[in-house]
Amino acid sequence: MVTQCTQEQLEFQGVGARRIQGAFDGGHISSDGGALLLREVDARLGVTQRLAACFTDHRRQEFVEHSVLELVRQRVYGLALGYEDLNDHDELSLDPLLGLAVGKRDPEGLARHRERDRGRGLASHCTLNRLERTSEKLDPNNRYRKIVHHPARIEELFVDVFLDSFGQAPEEIVLDFDATDDPVHGEQEGRFFHGYYGNYCYLPLYVFCGDHLLAAKLRTADRDASDGAVEVLAFLVERIRRRWPNVRIIVRGDSGFARDDMMTWCEDNGVYFVLGLAKNTRLLKKIGKEIVEAHALFDATQHASRVFTHFQWSTKKSWTRPRRVIAKAEHLAKGANPRFLVTNLDETYAAPKALYEDLYCARGEMENRIKEQQLDLFADRTSTHTMRANQLRLWFSSVAYVLVSALRRIALQGTCMAKSTCGSIRLKLFKIGAQIRLSVRRVLVHFASACPYQEVFRQALQNLNAYPMRC
């Protein structure tokens, strides 16, 4: 395999009388042996294959060396393996194991058309860039950017993968809505300063159901957190009910989504909601008795005390109808800590205390899912100029999350890593040294014998082998 490494001897501190020397001359050795696990879970769910179908390739196929499917897999697998930049793929193109994971028949690149490309089985960053930078209005005379993605199809893909993950329709699902900041550091299209976050950023909207990602919509930051949420919710509900007509759908979010249009749409379409409600002087006055009671309980026990109540409530102008409000009068060592929810779930569903503590507070888990996307899978790597290209980057990161999350849910169940984060899964299961030996009839992959998580790796592969392939 052709490499660009300088073949110089590396000298390290010796041990006793022995010198320690090294060189980058090991041949077909990859540091990402666990990429084959990604390939296995992807083969069973068909995620990247379905994502590739959301692109139209206008290239002349007789000159194409890297299909759209191979480019999509290379980009998504690269993110899952920790390579956030397109420039990283100039060196990754030398890795035959990643070429095998992507599905290359010639992972070493020995049969490439141009001599300068031989030894590189995968695409360079320039070729991958064509996935992201093609405009919506394709110019037929454009020489390079001829691969166009279709946003509506990609949005449908996330919902379809979610629906396919269930063997039968559940009785109830909870859709978590949240917005977060995506800081930008250049002159990207759509950048605005956000006063709450204190920086120039985008304001993407995420929707999760448990650990399933259903939507990731990139938005400019000059808007309310709930802007566009009704349209996203209507799309999701229509898509879900087409498959599961009788499922109970509950929308959960913080006070940024307690807007009259959101709640009215839910009430008119048979969807339930549990939303945080910002406190004000009128609400605090309404629960004055409960606040005093909570304070008295704290003085008696010196432990955090909570008193719950509920009542019908209407605003002076912003709401079109009265709604049920759940109030928590809490007193802590640092003082009073009242909180409020607004919901259209009736009293028979759950008592106010259970509705707050068991249903609403569980939305905090969504914050962990967003952190995984932002920190572990580089959803904030929106550094291209156009919003369209940055939205596609967010979707690539989202697909990487879908794959790693599915690996956690399917392959790691019953193991010590069943609740590991995406970053821990990468570190412990993907970053495994592996030697690759290719012959005409088979490929041998020799994983590092000292891998500390090899038993988990074996169990994960066994679980995947027992999981049915998607037809």
Side-chain angles (χ1 to χ4, degrees):
M1 178 177 67
V2 179
T3 68
Q4 294 182 336
C5 302
T6 303
Q7 302 300 325
E8 296 179 353
Q9 201 79 352
L10 303 175
E11 294 286 343
F12 301 92
Q13 293 292 324
V15 177
R18 294 177 175 174
R19 299 171 62 188
I20 300 178
Q21 298 177 322
F24 288 100
D25 58 359
H28 290 337
I29 298 177
S30 173
S31 60
D32 297 308
L36 295 177
L37 279 181
L38 273 177
R39 181 174 184 267
E40 290 297 316
V41 72
D42 189 19
R44 280 148 181 82
L45 302 181
V47 177
T48 56
Q49 188 171 18
R50 287 190 273 182
L51 178 60
C54 300
F55 290 78
T56 298
D57 189 356
H58 294 283
R59 298 176 296 174
R60 292 179 61 182
Q61 296 304 303
E62 63 268 28
F63 298 126
V64 170
E65 291 186 299
H66 309 288
S67 69
V68 172
L69 176 58
E70 292 167 346
L71 293 175
V72 165
R73 282 177 175 166
Q74 183 178 342
R75 185 71 169 106
V76 171
Y77 292 179
L79 289 167
L81 294 171
Y83 304 103
E84 68 268 36
D85 289 325
L86 287 178
N87 290 345
D88 296 328
H89 289 267
D90 288 342
E91 298 303 322
L92 286 175
S93 63
L94 295 165
D95 189 342
L97 191 140
L98 183 56
L100 288 171
V102 165
K104 283 289 187 181
R105 297 291 183 89
D106 178 25
E108 297 174 288
L110 301 179
R112 296 286 299 273
H113 297 327
R114 294 182 297 186
E115 185 175 353
R116 70 181 187 183
D117 292 331
R118 288 170 193 162
R120 297 181 178 274
L122 295 170
S124 67
H125 82 277
C126 296
T127 304
L128 287 169
N129 195 41
R130 298 172 193 174
L131 278 177
E132 301 175 359
R133 298 298 301 278
T134 305
S135 66
E136 185 177 4
K137 297 179 180 178
L138 175 69
D139 182 357
N141 298 318
N142 195 321
R143 182 176 181 183
Y144 296 112
R145 296 171 186 169
K146 295 188 176 184
I147 305 174
V148 185
H149 73 273
H150 305 287
R153 296 186 199 172
I154 298 177
E155 289 172 346
E156 292 172 357
L157 167 65
F158 290 105
V159 188
D160 291 342
V161 171
F162 163 70
L163 294 170
D164 291 344
S165 67
F166 288 79
Q168 59 183 12
E171 293 184 5
E172 175 183 290
I173 60 173
V174 179
L175 303 182
D176 282 308
F177 279 68
D178 204 358
T180 189
D181 67 317
D182 174 5
V184 297
H185 306 286
E187 297 297 327
Q188 288 97 319
E189 178 187 12
R191 70 190 282 271
F192 284 94
F193 186 85
H194 197 287
Y196 177 80
Y197 294 109
N199 54 35
Y200 285 91
C201 62
Y202 291 130
L203 192 69
L205 172 67
Y206 287 97
V207 183
F208 284 84
C209 180
D211 66 345
H212 295 272
L213 174 65
L214 276 75
K217 189 174 184 64
L218 194 67
R219 306 175 300 175
T220 57
D222 59 334
R223 63 186 65 226
D224 185 73
S226 67
D227 190 46
V230 173
E231 291 76 13
V232 172
L233 176 60
F235 163 75
L236 294 175
V237 169
E238 189 277 331
R239 196 82 181 173
I240 292 169
R241 283 185 171 164
R242 191 186 303 175
R243 185 89 63 93
W244 302 334
N246 299 318
V247 67
R248 181 194 294 120
I249 300 174
I250 300 176
V251 176
R252 187 166 57 188
D254 61 20
S255 60
F257 294 90
R259 303 291 184 262
D260 187 71
D261 59 343
M262 182 87 159
M263 294 184 284
T264 299
W265 189 94
C266 290
E267 291 159 342
D268 293 344
N269 290 274
V271 174
Y272 297 95
F273 58 82
V274 179
L275 304 171
L277 183 61
K279 59 188 175 184
N280 57 46
T281 53
R282 289 182 64 225
L283 284 169
L284 293 174
K285 184 178 179 180
K286 179 72 175 178
I287 62 167
K289 177 182 176 182
E290 286 75 17
I291 291 175
V292 171
E293 184 179 346
H295 194 171
L297 285 172
F298 176 82
D299 289 341
T301 63
Q302 292 301 304
H303 293 293
S305 57
R306 290 179 171 183
V307 177
F308 290 88
T309 187
H310 64 107
F311 48 85
Q312 287 297 114
W313 185 254
S314 179
T315 63
K316 292 183 176 180
K317 294 181 180 180
S318 58
W319 289 4
T320 56
R321 66 190 72 172
R323 295 183 171 100
R324 183 184 180 217
V325 169
I326 308 296
K328 178 197 70 170
E330 182 178 47
H331 199 93
L332 308 172
K334 62 181 181 181
N337 183 41
R339 290 289 186 270
F340 301 91
L341 305 178
V342 58
T343 183
N344 61 344
L345 288 166
D346 59 36
E347 298 179 38
T348 61
Y349 182 86
K353 183 176 188 293
L355 196 65
Y356 184 90
E357 294 181 342
D358 299 334
L359 180 58
Y360 180 74
C361 288
R363 68 170 296 274
E365 186 62 23
M366 183 191 182
E367 301 289 342
N368 294 328
R369 305 288 76 79
I370 292 178
K371 287 178 182 178
E372 285 186 307
Q373 271 226 255
Q374 298 281 90
L375 302 179
D376 295 338
L377 296 168
F378 318 108
D380 59 352
R381 202 68 174 176
T382 47
S383 53
T384 65
H385 177 66
T386 66
M387 282 280 290
R388 177 180 170 86
N390 284 325
Q391 173 67 82
L392 184 57
R393 285 193 169 189
L394 175 59
W395 280 329
F396 281 145
S397 168
S398 300
V399 173
Y401 169 82
V402 168
L403 285 177
V404 180
S405 176
L407 179 70
R408 174 172 56 201
R409 185 176 64 254
I410 298 168
L412 297 180
Q413 59 178 325
T415 73
C416 61
M417 294 182 62
K419 295 184 178 180
S420 294
T421 65
C422 293
S424 294
I425 291 171
R426 174 195 297 144
L427 179 65
K428 296 174 181 179
L429 291 186
F430 295 165
K431 294 298 180 181
I432 299 175
Q435 183 186 56
I436 305 96
R437 295 169 58 190
L438 298 98
S439 67
V440 175
R441 302 183 65 178
R442 63 176 178 172
V443 177
L444 287 175
V445 181
H446 300 277
F447 295 101
S449 301
C451 172
Y453 295 95
Q454 53 187 285
E455 290 305 319
V456 178
F457 192 99
R458 287 193 181 97
Q459 184 62 51
L461 184 58
Q462 183 178 334
N463 290 342
L464 285 172
N465 288 334
Y467 194 82
M469 286 277 193
R470 179 180 179 271
C471 297

